Amino acid sequence: MKLFTSYNSILSVITLTGLLIIGFLFYQTLGQYINRQIEDHLYEELLEVKDFAHVKNILPSPEGFDDVIVEYKKIHRLTNSHRSFADTNFYNPKKKHNESARYLKTQLVLNGQPYEILIISSKFERQEQIKSIILVILLPVIALLLILWLVNKILIRRMWSPFRQLLTNIKAFNINQEKVFEPIQTNIEEFKELNKAVLEVSLKVKSDYKEIKLFTENASHEMMTPLAVINSKLDTLLQSNSLGKEESEILSDLYKATSKLTKLNQSLLLLVKIDNNQLQAREEINLKTLIEEKLGYFQELIQKRNLNIQSELAEFIIYANRSLVEILVNNLFSNAIRHNYDGGSIRITLTEDNLEFSNTSTQMGLDPLKIFERFYKDNASDGTGLGLAILKQVCIRKNYQLSYCYQREQHHFKIVFKHSENKN
Amino acid sequence: MKFLIVEDEEGLRKSIDQYLTAEGNICDCASNYEQGYQKLSIYDYDCVLLDLTLPDGEGLQLLKYLKKINKADGVLIISARNSLDQKIEGLSLGADDYLIKPFHLSELYARALAIIRRRNFNGNSLLSFNELEIDTASKEVKVNGQLVYLTRKEFDLLLYFLVNKNKVISKSAAVVHIWGDEADMADSFDFIYTHIKNVRKKLTDSGCKDYFQSVYGVGYKFTDA
């Protein structure tokens, strides 16, 4: 729930209950006040009736005035001489409809004869008064509340706009990109502080990340020279004519190890390079041609493992850095070949906007969340564990969507090229 | 042929020196910028093997100097820096090739010789070994004057072995030479065997002697010894 909605719902519950309670109490008080007024009035009528009987010795006419009706009923003896007031409905003969009213019922002895006297007075006028009073008060209050709600809404929206801007900027912040976090302009102290804090954190993160990248780059570079020395010494050793079978095997293992180290180093350097966005130049690349070229390139490997290749390639041109795209295709190929079994198959599908590699494998489905992580690899793999990480990094850099799934005993790697990204 | 090795890492410099000298070349060594500068000013070389990061200067400055004094020495840059910009800068300054560390000495030699061949193009594009003759310009292989058809990769492989004749070539070096560093398949050196087998068969079928010798599991040697 949004802050404003939550705040608003609490506020409106309180306001509404308050308004209802106040309205109820107000109505009650007003009603009682009016009842008392009518009772006074009825009592006056009673006094008049008494006066009338006393002076004129006759009963006043039942039809009074001012919506007052007096009724007499002869009774045998007085049973209850106190006055009782209550609400009732009566038929107003003058206005010819039912009205709510208040009556006074009492027993009196008039001219020596006990009577039960009922004086009814219409409440209609008074009720109308109450209605208008309540309306006069209620309507402005409701209007005021509405205005308050509106003002609140607008105000809060305006007050939180720097926050929202900040949030957008934080979301847009990408550690991999050169773009630094963009601070917002605001006069509100709290947001200023938040802004400052986020800015500091982003700068710190950025510089730390840069340092780590620099470290990786330098470390990898520094390792290249000793590797070159090892390699050259191995080459020299190879030329000595005194190598027996055992020594040769050791030498062969050493070559493999150095080559793996070299590969690892180069992969790390490549990752840093992609991270640093150093491969920016764009050119037109015909993916179909490129894939066919690579098919020829990997031909020996494919033949050696006796792999069955099915390819369905449509003409498709993208605009990107050639070495990046080559890395992409290379890694897809070597991945599909490396993790396959002898006599397995690879299916390559290139359509208008996506490229898919499917391959059979000795491996069951892999964790799609972990598969693109650096140095994630199964024990059987001879690779560096960086191939897919590089693939992922290239896709992030180029805004391609890379996905992996395991279906019908095949691994599928799919890259969706976004059209807008390709057009220059 | 005469080489200048400008490289500050002693181990590497020695290895290169040994390898090239054993091939019958003359090598001069420079371990820093100053030495390199002096040697370049005084002598002429067929090919200069130039490291970019030197303790007292930048290898590219030597390259610039070489071009300034109008020398025709071939230049092969050997560097651990493998960024595209570096390569482009080096090549546009007039270097002939760019080799990234670590490399195989056989690869270094093959590249250096290719540079020298390109530089002295007149008539020197022919390499021969007994009855075998390779024209590096037209990419043709002849045995006793008869054409042998090799695929592109097979041709490259044969040329590579011929240039490094009498040397043991490791499988790893041969794979890197044919497929380059970028192919991520260093774990499968063994398939180079298929290629060697094919080249061998094509050559012997046309009457060439089999010069390929297997060296235990490490590699091969091209020799008539």
Side-chain angles (χ1 to χ4, degrees):
Chain A
M1 201 198 284
K2 278 195 179 170
L3 188 68
F4 180 64
T5 326
S6 128
Y7 166 80
N8 231 8
S9 62
I10 293 170
L11 204 69
S12 42
V13 166
I14 291 172
T15 323
L16 271 176
T17 0
L19 211 62
L20 278 173
I21 292 169
I22 288 170
F24 179 73
L25 288 178
F26 185 64
Y27 184 79
Q28 285 296 315
T29 329
L30 213 60
Q32 266 168 23
Y33 169 72
I34 280 178
N35 275 355
R36 218 166 316 133
Q37 264 198 331
I38 295 175
E39 276 159 26
D40 279 350
H41 174 65
L42 287 173
Y43 184 61
E44 270 171 34
E45 285 296 327
L46 185 68
L47 290 181
E48 249 174 64
V49 168
K50 271 187 187 165
D51 266 1
F52 212 82
H54 186 71
V55 175
K56 297 197 176 163
N57 267 347
I58 50 157
L59 292 172
S61 83
E63 265 159 57
F65 40 88
D66 285 349
D67 291 335
V68 175
I69 291 169
V70 187
E71 283 173 15
Y72 310 92
K73 216 188 326 168
K74 270 189 192 163
I75 46 173
H76 298 296
R77 56 190 178 87
L78 289 179
T79 50
N80 181 7
S81 66
H82 77 261
R83 300 185 287 272
S84 69
F85 297 96
D87 283 330
T88 183
N89 268 323
F90 84 113
Y91 180 75
N92 189 329
K94 277 184 195 161
K95 291 182 185 161
K96 297 192 170 66
H97 62 75
N98 274 313
E99 279 178 6
S100 72
R102 200 155 174 87
Y103 67 85
L104 164 63
K105 200 190 227 174
T106 190
Q107 292 172 348
L108 272 182
V109 180
L110 297 172
N111 304 331
Q113 169 71 40
Y115 283 96
E116 189 182 75
I117 296 168
L118 185 70
I119 305 170
I120 303 170
S121 173
S122 168
K123 266 169 91 174
F124 184 73
E125 296 281 325
R126 314 282 170 128
Q127 263 176 343
E128 288 299 299
Q129 269 177 353
I130 294 179
K131 269 186 202 161
S132 3
I133 288 170
I134 284 179
L135 273 183
V136 162
I137 293 170
L138 221 56
L139 280 181
V141 167
I142 288 171
L144 187 70
L145 278 178
L146 269 175
I147 289 167
L148 265 177
W149 179 75
L150 257 173
V151 168
N152 229 349
K153 196 176 161 109
I154 294 167
L155 225 73
I156 281 183
R157 176 165 297 170
R158 192 164 300 167
M159 262 163 51
W160 283 96
S161 84
F163 176 79
R164 227 164 264 127
Q165 184 60 43
L166 197 68
L167 208 63
T168 323
N169 288 1
I170 292 174
K171 278 180 188 160
F173 172 69
N174 184 343
I175 196 164
N176 272 335
Q177 279 167 6
E178 281 79 82
K179 232 173 50 186
V180 285
F181 168 76
E182 262 179 64
I184 50 157
Q185 299 300 321
T186 174
N187 293 322
I188 298 166
E189 205 53 47
E190 284 89 341
F191 291 136
K192 261 190 198 163
E193 249 173 75
L194 184 64
N195 198 16
K196 215 175 127 200
V198 172
L199 188 65
E200 271 165 19
V201 167
S202 80
L203 286 177
K204 175 104 181 66
V205 162
K206 202 110 202 173
S207 82
D208 282 2
Y209 187 69
K210 219 175 182 174
E211 245 166 65
I212 288 172
K213 269 202 297 196
L214 204 67
F215 171 77
T216 316
E217 197 178 353
N218 288 340
S220 301
H221 260 294
E222 288 309 311
M223 270 189 264
M224 284 305 188
T225 309
L227 273 172
V229 175
I230 293 172
N231 229 8
S232 69
K233 293 289 170 198
L234 286 177
D235 279 350
T236 314
L237 203 60
L238 191 64
Q239 303 313 324
S240 73
N241 286 319
S242 56
L243 289 180
K245 189 167 186 279
E246 213 169 296
E247 287 90 346
S248 297
E249 269 164 18
I250 293 173
L251 207 54
S252 168
D253 286 348
L254 284 175
Y255 268 124
K256 272 191 187 159
T258 28
S259 140
K260 201 166 168 182
L261 259 181
T262 309
K263 201 92 249 165
L264 187 68
N265 246 341
Q266 281 168 348
S267 300
L268 280 174
L269 275 174
L270 185 63
L271 269 174
V272 176
K273 229 188 283 176
I274 298 169
D275 279 351
N276 284 344
N277 214 359
Q278 280 170 353
L279 303 164
Q280 273 185 325
R282 289 157 71 93
E283 57 185 295
E284 193 182 293
I285 299 163
N286 187 331
L287 259 187
K288 187 186 174 189
T289 326
L290 183 70
I291 289 171
E292 280 166 351
E293 225 171 74
K294 293 289 167 194
L295 256 173
Y297 189 79
F298 286 102
Q299 198 187 359
E300 290 82 10
L301 279 175
I302 294 164
Q303 277 169 1
K304 186 173 172 264
R305 311 207 62 177
N306 203 10
L307 299 175
N308 171 27
I309 305 270
Q310 301 158 2
S311 60
E312 220 175 274
L313 307 174
E315 288 287 340
F316 181 46
I317 287 176
I318 57 170
Y319 295 87
N321 180 285
R322 179 165 281 275
S323 34
L324 272 188
V325 179
E326 281 193 12
I327 291 163
L328 204 79
V329 177
N330 262 351
N331 282 9
L332 281 171
F333 258 114
S334 62
N335 193 56
I337 296 170
R338 188 198 291 272
H339 298 289
N340 225 316
Y341 48 77
D342 290 352
S345 71
I346 298 175
R347 186 178 176 77
I348 308 162
T349 328
L350 177 66
T351 66
E352 276 294 288
D353 68 341
N354 73 67
L355 172 63
E356 188 173 343
F357 271 67
S358 316
N359 65 285
T360 52
S361 169
T362 46
Q363 285 255 310
M364 298 301 282
L366 302 162
D367 187 346
L369 289 176
K370 283 190 181 158
I371 184 167
F372 298 114
E373 269 174 25
R374 286 172 195 194
F375 298 112
Y376 171 82
K377 58 173 184 173
D378 58 276
N379 298 330
S381 169
D382 258 349
T384 55
L386 287 175
L388 288 178
I390 291 174
L391 196 65
K392 170 103 191 189
Q393 211 54 36
V394 172
C395 287
I396 289 176
R397 181 56 61 192
K398 295 299 298 174
N399 248 332
Y400 300 155
Q401 273 175 343
L402 173 67
S403 60
Y404 161 80
C405 69
Y406 184 73
Q407 271 173 4
R408 280 172 271 127
E409 303 194 336
Q410 291 210 338
H411 299 270
H412 301 266
F413 288 89
K414 188 173 183 180
I415 296 174
V416 179
F417 303 95
K418 282 191 191 145
H419 268 293
S420 55
E421 279 289 318
N422 289 326
K423 310 287 176 246
N424 285 319
Chain B
M1 266 162 289
K2 208 173 166 196
F3 289 92
L4 174 65
I5 308 163
V6 187
E7 165 66 60
D8 57 317
E9 193 69 37
E10 200 196 340
L12 189 59
R13 194 174 62 237
K14 265 187 170 169
S15 298
I16 298 174
D17 187 9
Q18 264 178 8
Y19 195 93
L20 298 183
T21 312
E23 283 293 303
N25 302 292
I26 300 159
C27 290
D28 268 4
C29 291
S31 58
N32 56 37
Y33 181 86
E34 201 45 48
Q35 284 179 16
Y37 186 84
Q38 284 173 8
K39 298 226 154 125
L40 281 177
S41 322
I42 306 168
Y43 308 109
D44 286 324
Y45 297 94
D46 291 303
C47 188
V48 181
L49 309 177
L50 186 61
D51 184 18
L52 287 188
T53 18
L54 297 168
D56 56 345
E58 185 65 28
L60 285 178
Q61 292 301 322
L62 279 182
L63 184 58
K64 278 182 194 159
Y65 170 68
L66 199 64
K67 295 296 150 190
K68 210 178 99 189
I69 58 173
N70 264 326
K71 286 217 177 176
D73 309 17
V75 178
L76 171 57
I77 293 177
I78 41 176
S79 171
R81 294 186 224 159
N82 66 344
S83 78
L84 201 64
D85 294 346
Q86 280 283 338
K87 274 189 204 173
I88 291 171
E89 194 185 355
L91 294 176
S92 63
L93 276 176
D96 296 273
D97 205 351
Y98 197 111
L99 194 57
I100 293 158
K101 287 181 190 170
F103 44 76
H104 287 282
L105 294 177
S106 47
E107 178 72 24
L108 178 79
Y109 190 49
R111 298 247 202 145
L113 281 191
I115 291 174
I116 295 168
R117 269 202 312 275
R118 277 202 297 273
R119 299 223 142 228
N120 323 325
F121 200 65
N122 31 356
N124 218 351
S125 66
L126 281 182
L127 278 171
S128 60
F129 185 78
N130 296 343
E131 68 269 39
L132 195 63
E133 196 174 78
I134 297 185
D135 188 339
T136 52
S138 59
K139 309 243 173 222
E140 279 175 347
V141 178
K142 282 178 185 167
V143 174
N144 295 322
Q146 235 189 334
L147 261 180
V148 180
Y149 293 100
L150 296 180
T151 65
R152 177 73 197 273
K153 281 176 191 163
E154 286 163 358
F155 178 85
D156 282 348
L157 202 63
L158 181 61
L159 181 61
Y160 184 57
F161 272 93
L162 191 61
V163 162
N164 288 286
K165 56 182 182 281
N166 296 320
K167 295 274 178 200
V168 183
I169 304 290
S170 65
K171 284 184 205 162
S172 137
V175 167
V176 170
H177 180 73
I178 301 280
W179 284 274
D181 307 317
E182 271 133 46
D184 179 27
M185 47 190 187
D187 50 325
S188 39
F189 295 154
D190 290 334
F191 63 87
I192 198 76
Y193 169 75
T194 327
H195 272 279
I196 304 268
K197 202 177 75 184
N198 290 343
V199 178
R200 246 177 175 167
K201 193 171 180 308
K202 282 183 183 174
L203 289 182
T204 47
D205 279 358
S206 54
C208 184
K209 215 181 129 198
D210 185 12
Y211 297 117
F212 282 99
Q213 272 181 18
S214 217
V215 183
Y216 294 109
V218 203
Y220 301 90
K221 195 171 174 180
F222 193 81
T223 176
D224 61 349

